[in-house]
Amino acid sequence: MAAAAERPSAGGFVLWLHGSGGSGDESRAQVAPYFSAPGIASSVRLSFPTAPTASIPCYGDAVITAWFGISEVPITAKTVRDEKEVLKAVEYVHELLDKEVAAGTSPSDIFVCGMSQGGALAIASVLLYPKALGGCAVFSGSVPLNKSFAEKVSSEARKTPVLWFHGMADGLVLFEAGHAGCAFLEELGMSCEFKAYPTLGHSMVDEELQYFQQWILNRLGMTVSGATETARPSSSSNHKDPQ
Protein backbone atom coordinates (compact mmCIF):
# COMPACT_ATOMS: atom_id res chain seq x y z
CA MET A 1 0.00 0.00 0.00
CA ALA A 2 1.39 3.36 -0.98
CA ALA A 3 2.16 6.05 1.55
CA ALA A 4 1.00 9.64 1.23
CA ALA A 5 2.95 11.72 -1.24
CA GLU A 6 5.51 14.28 -0.14
CA ARG A 7 3.88 17.63 0.33
CA PRO A 8 4.45 20.99 -1.32
CA SER A 9 3.89 24.16 0.70
CA ALA A 10 0.24 24.45 -0.26
CA GLY A 11 -2.50 22.87 -2.33
CA GLY A 12 -4.82 19.92 -2.31
CA PHE A 13 -4.39 16.21 -1.67
CA VAL A 14 -6.46 13.62 -3.55
CA LEU A 15 -6.49 10.06 -2.23
CA TRP A 16 -7.81 7.71 -4.92
CA LEU A 17 -9.01 4.18 -4.08
CA HIS A 18 -9.29 1.69 -6.95
CA GLY A 19 -11.98 -0.95 -7.42
CA SER A 20 -11.54 -4.63 -6.63
CA GLY A 21 -9.27 -6.37 -9.10
CA GLY A 22 -7.54 -3.08 -9.92
CA SER A 23 -4.37 -1.38 -8.72
CA GLY A 24 -3.01 1.99 -7.78
CA ASP A 25 -0.88 2.09 -10.93
CA GLU A 26 -3.89 1.42 -13.17
CA SER A 27 -5.85 4.19 -11.44
CA ARG A 28 -2.92 6.59 -11.74
CA ALA A 29 -2.84 6.00 -15.50
CA GLN A 30 -6.55 6.82 -15.75
CA VAL A 31 -6.82 9.76 -13.37
CA ALA A 32 -3.44 11.52 -13.12
CA PRO A 33 -3.51 12.97 -16.67
CA TYR A 34 -6.43 15.17 -15.61
CA PHE A 35 -4.17 16.84 -13.06
CA SER A 36 -0.96 16.96 -15.11
CA ALA A 37 -1.13 20.54 -16.40
CA PRO A 38 1.67 22.65 -14.88
CA GLY A 39 -0.73 24.95 -13.06
CA ILE A 40 -2.47 21.95 -11.48
CA ALA A 41 0.34 19.46 -10.91
CA SER A 42 2.22 21.90 -8.69
CA SER A 43 -0.82 22.42 -6.45
CA VAL A 44 -2.69 19.10 -6.36
CA ARG A 45 -0.97 15.95 -5.09
CA LEU A 46 -2.37 12.53 -5.91
CA SER A 47 -1.96 9.24 -4.05
CA PHE A 48 -2.98 5.84 -5.44
CA PRO A 49 -2.57 3.03 -2.89
CA THR A 50 -3.16 -0.59 -3.88
CA ALA A 51 -5.42 -2.89 -1.87
CA PRO A 52 -4.17 -6.21 -0.46
CA THR A 53 -5.15 -9.44 -2.21
CA ALA A 54 -7.92 -11.70 -0.96
CA SER A 55 -9.74 -14.86 -2.02
CA ILE A 56 -13.24 -13.94 -3.20
CA PRO A 57 -15.82 -16.79 -2.92
CA CYS A 58 -18.33 -15.30 -5.35
CA TYR A 59 -15.57 -15.32 -7.98
CA GLY A 60 -14.80 -18.99 -7.43
CA ASP A 61 -12.21 -18.14 -4.74
CA ALA A 62 -10.14 -16.15 -7.22
CA VAL A 63 -7.40 -14.13 -5.52
CA ILE A 64 -7.68 -10.46 -6.47
CA THR A 65 -7.00 -7.07 -4.93
CA ALA A 66 -9.88 -6.00 -2.69
CA TRP A 67 -10.33 -3.55 0.16
CA PHE A 68 -12.90 -5.87 1.76
CA GLY A 69 -14.90 -8.97 0.88
CA ILE A 70 -17.44 -9.13 -1.94
CA SER A 71 -20.60 -10.86 -0.78
CA GLU A 72 -22.49 -10.98 -4.08
CA VAL A 73 -22.75 -9.68 -7.60
CA PRO A 74 -24.35 -7.55 -8.74
CA ILE A 75 -24.32 -5.09 -5.86
CA THR A 76 -27.84 -3.84 -5.13
CA ALA A 77 -29.34 -1.34 -2.72
CA LYS A 78 -29.83 -4.23 -0.25
CA THR A 79 -26.39 -5.87 -0.45
CA VAL A 80 -24.89 -6.52 2.98
CA ARG A 81 -21.12 -6.43 3.57
CA ASP A 82 -18.96 -7.79 6.36
CA GLU A 83 -18.83 -4.65 8.50
CA LYS A 84 -15.66 -5.76 10.32
CA GLU A 85 -13.81 -5.97 7.00
CA VAL A 86 -15.17 -2.60 5.88
CA LEU A 87 -14.16 -0.96 9.16
CA LYS A 88 -10.67 -2.45 8.94
CA ALA A 89 -10.26 -0.87 5.49
CA VAL A 90 -11.66 2.43 6.81
CA GLU A 91 -9.06 2.35 9.57
CA TYR A 92 -6.31 2.10 6.96
CA VAL A 93 -7.70 5.09 5.04
CA HIS A 94 -7.99 7.09 8.25
CA GLU A 95 -4.31 6.39 8.97
CA LEU A 96 -3.40 7.93 5.61
CA LEU A 97 -5.62 10.95 6.28
CA ASP A 98 -4.22 11.42 9.78
CA LYS A 99 -0.68 11.45 8.38
CA GLU A 100 -1.65 14.17 5.92
CA VAL A 101 -3.26 16.29 8.61
CA ALA A 102 -0.31 15.77 10.97
CA ALA A 103 2.03 16.90 8.19
CA GLY A 104 0.12 20.16 7.93
CA THR A 105 -2.48 19.60 5.22
CA SER A 106 -5.76 21.31 6.01
CA PRO A 107 -8.61 18.78 6.14
CA SER A 108 -10.55 21.14 3.86
CA ASP A 109 -7.93 20.50 1.16
CA ILE A 110 -8.18 16.69 1.36
CA PHE A 111 -10.36 14.67 -1.02
CA VAL A 112 -11.13 10.96 -0.72
CA CYS A 113 -12.27 9.46 -4.01
CA GLY A 114 -12.65 6.12 -5.72
CA MET A 115 -14.21 3.81 -8.26
CA SER A 116 -16.60 0.95 -7.42
CA GLN A 117 -15.37 -0.77 -4.24
CA GLY A 118 -12.89 2.08 -3.88
CA GLY A 119 -15.78 4.53 -4.06
CA ALA A 120 -17.64 2.55 -1.41
CA LEU A 121 -14.58 2.65 0.85
CA ALA A 122 -14.14 6.37 0.15
CA ILE A 123 -17.64 7.28 1.32
CA ALA A 124 -17.44 4.97 4.35
CA SER A 125 -14.12 6.56 5.32
CA VAL A 126 -15.52 10.07 4.99
CA LEU A 127 -18.66 9.24 6.98
CA LEU A 128 -16.61 7.90 9.89
CA TYR A 129 -13.81 10.49 9.86
CA PRO A 130 -14.09 12.99 12.74
CA LYS A 131 -13.25 16.03 10.61
CA ALA A 132 -14.94 17.70 7.65
CA LEU A 133 -12.88 17.16 4.50
CA GLY A 134 -12.68 19.01 1.22
CA GLY A 135 -14.87 16.46 -0.50
CA CYS A 136 -15.57 12.89 -1.53
CA ALA A 137 -16.09 11.67 -5.10
CA VAL A 138 -17.73 8.30 -5.73
CA PHE A 139 -17.68 6.67 -9.16
CA SER A 140 -20.11 3.74 -9.55
CA GLY A 141 -20.07 3.01 -5.84
CA SER A 142 -22.42 2.43 -2.94
CA VAL A 143 -22.56 2.94 0.82
CA PRO A 144 -21.14 -0.27 2.35
CA LEU A 145 -22.45 0.40 5.85
CA ASN A 146 -25.79 -0.38 7.45
CA LYS A 147 -28.03 2.62 8.11
CA SER A 148 -27.51 2.00 11.83
CA PHE A 149 -24.11 3.66 11.36
CA ALA A 150 -25.87 6.99 10.89
CA GLU A 151 -25.58 7.74 14.59
CA LYS A 152 -21.80 7.36 14.33
CA VAL A 153 -21.49 10.05 11.67
CA SER A 154 -20.26 13.19 13.40
CA SER A 155 -21.63 16.65 12.73
CA GLU A 156 -18.25 17.57 11.21
CA ALA A 157 -18.24 14.60 8.83
CA ARG A 158 -21.71 15.59 7.62
CA LYS A 159 -20.23 18.84 6.32
CA THR A 160 -18.09 17.04 3.72
CA PRO A 161 -19.59 17.54 0.24
CA VAL A 162 -20.03 14.49 -1.97
CA LEU A 163 -19.97 14.16 -5.75
CA TRP A 164 -21.47 10.89 -7.02
CA PHE A 165 -21.31 9.51 -10.57
CA HIS A 166 -23.30 6.46 -11.66
CA GLY A 167 -24.25 4.87 -14.95
CA MET A 168 -27.84 3.75 -15.31
CA ALA A 169 -26.65 0.77 -17.39
CA ASP A 170 -24.24 -0.44 -14.70
CA GLY A 171 -24.68 -4.21 -14.38
CA LEU A 172 -22.16 -4.78 -11.55
CA VAL A 173 -23.04 -2.05 -9.06
CA LEU A 174 -26.64 -1.36 -9.94
CA PHE A 175 -27.86 2.19 -10.37
CA GLU A 176 -30.31 1.62 -7.51
CA ALA A 177 -27.34 1.10 -5.16
CA GLY A 178 -25.82 4.44 -6.07
CA HIS A 179 -29.14 6.26 -5.94
CA ALA A 180 -29.92 4.77 -2.51
CA GLY A 181 -26.47 5.74 -1.26
CA CYS A 182 -26.93 9.37 -2.24
CA ALA A 183 -30.41 9.40 -0.69
CA PHE A 184 -28.91 8.07 2.57
CA LEU A 185 -26.36 10.89 2.59
CA GLU A 186 -29.09 13.45 2.05
CA GLU A 187 -31.02 11.95 4.98
CA LEU A 188 -27.93 12.71 7.07
CA GLY A 189 -28.14 16.31 5.95
CA MET A 190 -25.11 16.01 3.68
CA SER A 191 -24.66 17.67 0.30
CA CYS A 192 -24.59 15.03 -2.45
CA GLU A 193 -24.45 16.04 -6.09
CA PHE A 194 -25.62 13.00 -8.05
CA LYS A 195 -24.78 12.75 -11.75
CA ALA A 196 -26.56 9.98 -13.67
CA TYR A 197 -25.49 8.75 -17.11
CA PRO A 198 -28.29 6.85 -18.95
CA THR A 199 -26.10 4.68 -21.21
CA LEU A 200 -23.01 4.27 -19.01
CA GLY A 201 -22.10 0.84 -17.64
CA HIS A 202 -19.54 0.00 -14.96
CA SER A 203 -16.79 2.28 -16.20
CA MET A 204 -15.28 5.74 -15.99
CA VAL A 205 -15.43 8.02 -19.00
CA ASP A 206 -13.84 11.31 -19.97
CA GLU A 207 -16.98 13.35 -19.31
CA GLU A 208 -17.03 12.25 -15.68
CA LEU A 209 -13.33 12.82 -15.13
CA GLN A 210 -13.44 16.28 -16.71
CA TYR A 211 -16.25 17.24 -14.33
CA PHE A 212 -14.40 15.65 -11.40
CA GLN A 213 -11.27 17.64 -12.20
CA GLN A 214 -13.17 20.93 -12.27
CA TRP A 215 -15.04 20.06 -9.07
CA ILE A 216 -11.75 19.46 -7.23
CA LEU A 217 -10.22 22.67 -8.56
CA ASN A 218 -13.31 24.69 -7.66
CA ARG A 219 -13.33 23.26 -4.14
CA LEU A 220 -9.69 24.34 -3.81
CA GLY A 221 -10.49 27.80 -5.12
CA MET A 222 -8.30 27.26 -8.16
CA THR A 223 -9.04 28.62 -11.60
CA VAL A 224 -6.63 27.17 -14.13
CA SER A 225 -7.11 28.47 -17.64
CA GLY A 226 -7.46 25.66 -20.16
CA ALA A 227 -7.30 23.00 -17.46
CA THR A 228 -9.89 20.71 -19.00
CA GLU A 229 -8.21 20.81 -22.40
CA THR A 230 -5.12 19.14 -20.93
CA ALA A 231 -6.98 15.96 -20.00
CA ARG A 232 -6.76 12.80 -22.07
CA PRO A 233 -9.89 10.87 -23.01
CA SER A 234 -10.27 8.03 -20.55
CA SER A 235 -12.44 4.97 -20.39
CA SER A 236 -11.98 2.10 -18.00
CA SER A 237 -14.03 -0.93 -17.24
CA ASN A 238 -13.18 -3.79 -14.92
CA HIS A 239 -15.61 -6.67 -14.95
CA LYS A 240 -14.18 -7.95 -11.67
CA ASP A 241 -14.95 -4.70 -9.99
CA PRO A 242 -18.14 -4.81 -7.94
CA GLN A 243 -18.05 -4.34 -4.20
Side-chain angles (χ1 to χ4, degrees):
M1 294 183 179
E6 188 175 327
R7 83 170 357 324
S9 57
F13 176 72
V14 175
L15 176 64
W16 182 279
L17 305 169
H18 65 78
S20 57
S23 71
D25 286 344
E26 290 174 2
S27 294
R28 183 183 297 277
Q30 297 160 9
V31 177
Y34 291 82
F35 296 89
S36 63
I40 303 175
S42 61
S43 299
V44 181
R45 290 168 301 120
L46 309 171
S47 182
F48 299 89
T50 295
T53 56
S55 175
I56 306 299
C58 69
Y59 283 140
D61 291 321
V63 177
I64 63 173
T65 53
W67 299 107
F68 47 83
I70 302 170
S71 57
E72 65 178 4
V73 287
I75 302 298
T76 73
K78 296 181 180 179
T79 296
V80 177
R81 279 75 159 201
D82 184 323
E83 290 178 349
K84 288 184 179 180
E85 291 188 8
V86 174
L87 294 177
K88 181 179 179 181
V90 166
E91 184 177 333
Y92 166 70
V93 174
H94 284 182
E95 289 174 359
L96 296 182
L97 300 181
D98 288 343
K99 287 179 182 178
E100 275 298 310
V101 174
T105 306
S106 169
S108 64
D109 291 334
I110 294 175
F111 300 83
V112 186
C113 315
M115 167 71 182
S116 193
Q117 190 183 71
L121 176 55
I123 191 59
S125 299
V126 165
L127 288 174
L128 297 177
Y129 199 63
K131 299 181 175 70
L133 300 175
C136 175
V138 179
F139 291 74
S140 304
S142 63
V143 175
L145 299 170
N146 187 287
K147 285 191 175 183
S148 64
F149 273 81
E151 62 186 29
K152 298 183 180 180
V153 182
S154 70
S155 59
E156 284 300 302
R158 296 178 193 222
K159 296 177 183 177
T160 301
V162 178
L163 173 63
W164 198 304
F165 300 92
H166 217 109
M168 297 179 73
D170 194 329
L172 291 178
V173 181
L174 300 188
F175 182 76
E176 67 175 55
H179 193 265
C182 192
F184 173 63
L185 300 181
E186 291 176 339
E187 289 174 11
L188 293 176
M190 297 177 70
S191 169
C192 183
E193 180 181 355
F194 190 84
K195 296 188 70 63
Y197 296 82
T199 61
L200 182 64
H202 195 69
S203 62
M204 289 193 304
V205 293
D206 181 60
E207 183 180 351
E208 294 175 294
L209 288 165
Q210 295 274 16
Y211 193 93
F212 167 66
Q213 175 216 54
Q214 286 299 307
W215 186 77
I216 294 287
L217 299 185
N218 289 341
R219 296 292 308 168
L220 290 171
M222 295 173 59
T223 53
V224 180
S225 178
T228 57
E229 284 78 1
T230 65
R232 287 204 305 248
S234 174
S235 179
S236 67
S237 179
N238 189 337
H239 295 290
K240 269 193 180 176
D241 195 16
Q243 303 159 38

